[in-house]
């Protein structure tokens, strides 16, 4: 029984209760959202220490942090440090994208300690193992790919990225056009390479019912990957990308028909003036399935600042209806992130998510800012710091920049506008000045 | 003769020529923009080493960096280090907002070395001197304020913030409502306190013609300050703010009638879903005068990350038509920024400005991203680094995160999608994959 099947039967699960409490929403709203597929609660039956969160329409925008080894950095302990950094920074979910070292061990250790939902991209492990076993990713068999999915589902992975929409028809669309950066999704590239080499359809599409069956047994939420996502602004919102999105809309309906929870992944590199259209298109084509975007990055030229390019696009996307932001770190396009990058990436995405939640009227979002404004007016520094999205950083900056510990901050000092207005105008005008 | 008077007489100045070259625009477009007041070229006759830039409709979005001492940090040399940081990071203009130490000396040293336009807020110096001379800001006389303006104009300041719209009528509007953070503009607070204490109209409003006369003599561009800008999301877009904007629209028309260049300053703390309305309102009420926004910050709760909250709001504002972004540093709301904060602040604002320039179709913006995309596809790291908005940071990150110097980055390593697609599919598909 998945959360969706339970919800459709009119039953409220413990997981839905926890989501309702966290979101301060009526239980019935959560149940109805899960039943209709506009909300997912990634919660694998085998992820025992999970504190579930809901993702989707009407809920707070959530943030995912990608961690995981690479061939150059296979050290498990370093990834566990990054896991701690992501969770302490407030990530709602983490994805283990490892491709180096002992993949099974790291995934299991992450699941053992993470109360946040854990996602993976099983085709990564399948590709790594195919290389070891057959000498090439091309050597991977469909059964081997499904065996990895089954193993990861059995371990307790809450959601998996599956690039079911990278079909022969979509690759044909891609052939009818040009792109600068081609396919930049790793999973999409593995599958497209495999398909074109063998001249065979994508097994995740061809055997989608087999995938749905596995997902249903463990209640793994499918995150339908966008293998054709644009890798640069010039490739954004092209025919190949939207063709894949159409296919993903069909996959969403088939997942819902089987009681399998599913969301849709989205771009990527998108110019600011196309971000809203991308969200509206997904919501329409995919029948309001939760939308999980990577960024979007609103320019290609800012390596070192891609947490910022993504915060811009993410805020705009989430305000327009995107539900789940995959963080991007300052290290994007330059190398595997370290723990500080992870922290900065999560914080930037949380800023974007919260700014969007205010804009879309998520209950509670506005109140947080009101409290901060009142604390600022009162020059109540302890309250400002405790209300800050990153209290530790706020405290450190304040201490470093105000060694004398004066009441005002050191930008204006005795010329503090808030203080002056109070001094000159007295209390009777305090409500307006 | 101001740039505007020259332009109206059909003459193209050296400054307009340089702007046209930088913007890759027809000379006539720049001249017509300056003549009509939709473009300003801040260029004080006494700022001898100025490399002028244009601000306004159809031009690249520009970035300003605020520097300057405070009572707690009066050291001139530290501010000159921050000036260098701002200029090397690519700021188009700097404002000296000093309120501590030797104000005249610092301003003159900044003007002597800055090829970028330099702005000030003369009421700061007038307030500091009034405190020294009369024991209180309240003791300032209108003549003293104008004497400071004249001195700063004579020194070569290219643009000055003047809060001409903080009028008795606007303060009456403010009394008819409530606000959480009241007046947060320092200049606005000085003037409002002075006005209410003395029961007298704002001298910058009452003697606006005197101000216009001074501005015209030196060709100082007026930056009409928003003394009523909101200091928190809850105060945004309220009646007091818009009342002031209406007055500023009138001031713009009077400046234009006298051949004085003028732009309008805007908020501040604004929820994401009100940013576009704020820009459209300014453009309409102020007859398409250049719009200079501070942020906007799209949430109040992120001290330590306000360069990011501002990049989100600034990108959206500039895409909607704002012309000039005042940076906000990570230190905002916590203390006076240091050189690293200045660098991060300028870069975040430049990211926002460029993302907006792509969205609004500024010539050349799109091409930069296309070149980066091609360099990425080619795994040409030297080219990627040289095209990066911050080549030094990109180079450092790449070196730190890829000690072995492999061709791929260390995030994907041998599983690099761009490389795999090339390997599996061969060159004949290179244009689409």
């Amino acid at each position: 029984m998945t959360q969706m099947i339970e919800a459709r039967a009119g039953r409220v699960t413990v997981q839905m209760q926890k989501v309702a409490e966290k979101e301060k929403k009526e239980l019935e709203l959560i149940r109805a959202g899960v039943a209709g597929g506009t909300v997912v609660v990634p919660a694998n039956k085998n992820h025992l220490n999970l504190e579930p969160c809901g993702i989707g329409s009407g809920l707070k925008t959530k943030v995912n942090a990608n961690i995981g080894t690479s061939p150059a950095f296979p050290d498990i302990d370093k990834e566990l440090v990054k896991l701690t950094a992501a969770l302490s920074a407030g990530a709602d979910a983490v994805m283990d994208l490892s491709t180096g070292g002992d993949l099974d061990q790291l995934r299991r250790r992450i699941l053992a300690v993470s109360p946040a939902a854990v996602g993976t991209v099983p085709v990564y492990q399948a590709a790594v193992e195919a290389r070891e076993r057959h000498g090439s990713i091309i050597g991977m068999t469909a059964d081997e790919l499904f065996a990895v999915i089954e193993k990861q589902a059995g371990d307790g992975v809450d959601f998996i990225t599956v690039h079911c929409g990278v079909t022969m028809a979509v690759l044909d669309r891609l052939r009818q056009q040009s792109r600068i950066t081609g396919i930049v999704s790793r999973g999409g590239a593995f599958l497209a390479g495999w398909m074109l080499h063998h001249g065979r359809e994508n097994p995740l599409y061809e055997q989608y019912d087999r995938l749905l069956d596995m997902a249903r047994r463990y209640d793994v939420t499918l995150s339908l990957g966008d293998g054709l996502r644009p890798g640069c602004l010039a490739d954004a919102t092209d025919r190949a990308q939207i063709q894949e999105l159409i296919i993903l809309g069909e996959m969403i309906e088939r997942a819902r028909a089987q009681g399998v929870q599913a969301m849709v992944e989205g771009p990527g590199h998108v110019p600011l003036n196309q971000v809203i259209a991308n969200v509206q298109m997904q919501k329409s084509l995919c029948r309001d399935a939760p939308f999980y975007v990577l960024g979007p990055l609103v320019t290609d030229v800012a390596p070192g600042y891609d947490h910022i390019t993504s915060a811009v696009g993410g805020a705009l996307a989430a305000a327009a209806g995107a539900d789940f932001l995959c963080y991007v770190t300052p290290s994007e396009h330059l190398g595997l992130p370290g723990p500080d990058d992870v922290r900065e990436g999560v914080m930037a995405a949380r800023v974007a998510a919260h700014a969007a939640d205010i804009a879309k009227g998520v209950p509670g979002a506005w109140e947080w800012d009101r409290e901060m404004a009142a604390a600022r007016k009162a020059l109540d520094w302890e309250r400002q710091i405790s209300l800050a999205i990153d209290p530790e950083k706020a405290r450190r900056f304040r201490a470093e920049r105000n060694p004398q510990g004066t009441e005002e901050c050191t930008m204006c000092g005795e010329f503090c506008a808030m203080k002056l207005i109070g001094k000159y105008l007295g209390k009777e005008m305090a409500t307006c000045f």
Side-chain angles (χ1 to χ4, degrees), chain A:
Chain A
M1 298 292 271
T2 66
Q3 297 290 325
M4 184 179 242
I5 294 169
E6 296 278 12
R8 286 193 185 153
R11 287 188 289 272
V12 168
T13 62
V14 175
Q15 289 79 9
M16 292 177 217
Q17 273 174 359
K18 286 186 177 171
V19 169
E21 279 163 31
K22 273 194 205 173
E23 303 278 343
K24 298 189 178 68
K25 290 265 185 190
E26 303 267 313
L27 264 176
E28 173 52 23
L29 266 168
I30 305 301
R31 190 205 59 77
V34 173
T38 60
V39 168
V40 294
V41 180
N44 185 309
K45 294 171 189 195
N46 292 344
H47 188 185
L48 300 178
N49 58 332
L50 176 71
E51 290 296 327
C53 81
I55 299 165
S57 181
L59 308 188
K60 282 195 280 258
T61 304
K62 303 303 186 300
V63 167
N64 175 75
N66 289 338
I67 59 172
T69 57
S70 70
F73 295 106
D75 186 343
I76 284 181
D77 291 331
K78 282 188 178 156
E79 296 312 308
L80 293 172
V81 169
K82 282 153 64 175
L83 172 65
T84 303
L87 295 176
S88 73
D92 300 292
V94 291
M95 289 191 79
D96 172 17
L97 304 188
S98 294
T99 54
D102 186 337
L103 305 182
D104 287 335
Q105 198 202 336
L106 175 55
R107 182 177 59 256
R108 287 165 188 163
R109 288 184 64 182
I110 290 171
L111 280 160
V113 296
S114 175
V118 174
T120 59
V121 188
V123 76
Y124 290 0
Q125 181 165 16
V128 170
E129 290 177 356
R131 228 166 142 268
E132 289 163 5
R133 200 175 293 146
H134 309 292
S136 163
I137 296 174
I138 299 299
M140 178 182 76
T141 68
D143 286 344
E144 285 169 349
L145 174 54
F146 278 99
V148 169
I149 294 171
E150 176 101 42
K151 177 165 65 174
Q152 296 195 358
D155 283 348
V157 167
D158 301 292
F159 61 103
I160 56 173
T161 296
V162 276
H163 302 86
C164 305
V166 180
T167 67
M168 281 296 189
V170 167
L171 296 181
D172 277 346
R173 285 280 96 66
L174 186 55
R175 268 204 203 88
Q176 309 300 322
Q177 61 168 71
S178 67
R179 269 191 168 187
I180 295 181
T181 55
I183 296 180
V184 296
S185 152
R186 260 191 293 183
F190 295 164
L191 287 164
W194 187 94
M195 290 160 64
L196 292 164
H197 179 86
H198 294 290
R200 284 183 50 194
E201 186 51 279
N202 179 352
L204 297 172
Y205 177 77
E206 205 171 44
Q207 302 184 50
Y208 188 57
D209 286 327
R210 182 178 178 185
L211 179 62
L212 290 177
D213 180 61
M214 277 184 193
R216 195 175 47 236
R217 276 190 281 121
Y218 298 95
D219 200 0
V220 172
T221 298
L222 299 186
S223 188
L224 299 173
D226 54 336
L228 277 291
R229 71 164 180 270
C232 64
L233 299 197
D235 294 348
T237 327
D238 67 1
R239 296 190 297 270
Q241 180 199 327
I242 305 303
Q243 181 67 71
E244 181 185 35
L245 190 61
I246 289 172
I247 306 293
L248 296 183
E250 295 175 356
M251 303 283 104
I252 282 288
E253 298 225 51
R254 288 177 60 188
R256 288 177 179 177
Q258 297 297 318
V260 170
Q261 300 192 91
M263 55 188 167
V264 171
E265 296 185 11
H269 292 245
V270 181
L272 191 146
N273 54 316
Q274 293 179 7
V275 170
I276 295 172
N278 267 270
V279 177
Q280 291 176 338
M281 199 53 57
Q282 183 274 342
K283 288 288 171 184
S284 184
L285 296 176
C286 302
R287 303 288 166 95
D288 294 312
F291 196 25
Y292 176 24
V293 293
L294 175 57
L297 292 76
V298 293
T299 172
D300 303 331
V301 303
Y305 299 91
D306 277 328
H307 57 315
I308 298 177
T309 69
S310 294
V312 173
L316 198 54
D323 307 285
F324 192 21
L325 303 181
C326 186
Y327 85 168
V328 173
T329 79
S331 185
E332 186 75 20
H333 297 113
L334 295 167
L336 199 71
D340 292 344
D341 298 320
V342 167
R343 184 169 189 85
E344 288 294 303
V346 171
M347 286 296 175
R350 286 186 61 207
V351 164
H354 177 64
D357 285 348
I358 292 165
K360 60 184 171 182
V362 172
W366 184 252
E367 288 72 13
W368 183 8
D369 289 61
R370 284 187 77 97
E371 285 183 46
M372 176 62 93
R376 251 181 210 145
K377 178 67 179 175
L379 294 172
D380 182 342
W381 288 95
E382 277 309 312
R383 184 97 184 112
Q384 286 179 61
I385 287 166
S386 72
L387 283 167
I389 199 165
D390 185 352
E392 181 272 327
K393 189 179 204 176
R395 184 178 301 282
R396 176 162 47 84
F397 271 41
R398 161 105 174 133
E400 282 170 6
R401 287 158 178 78
N402 186 359
Q404 299 96 332
T406 53
E407 188 189 18
E408 321 88 9
C409 94
T410 55
M411 181 176 269
C412 303
E414 59 210 88
F415 299 104
C416 171
M418 301 224 192
K419 215 172 166 181
L420 282 178
I421 285 292
K423 180 177 160 194
Y424 291 139
L425 304 181
K427 280 183 186 164
E428 78 282 4
M429 286 187 175
T431 57
C432 48
F433 290 99

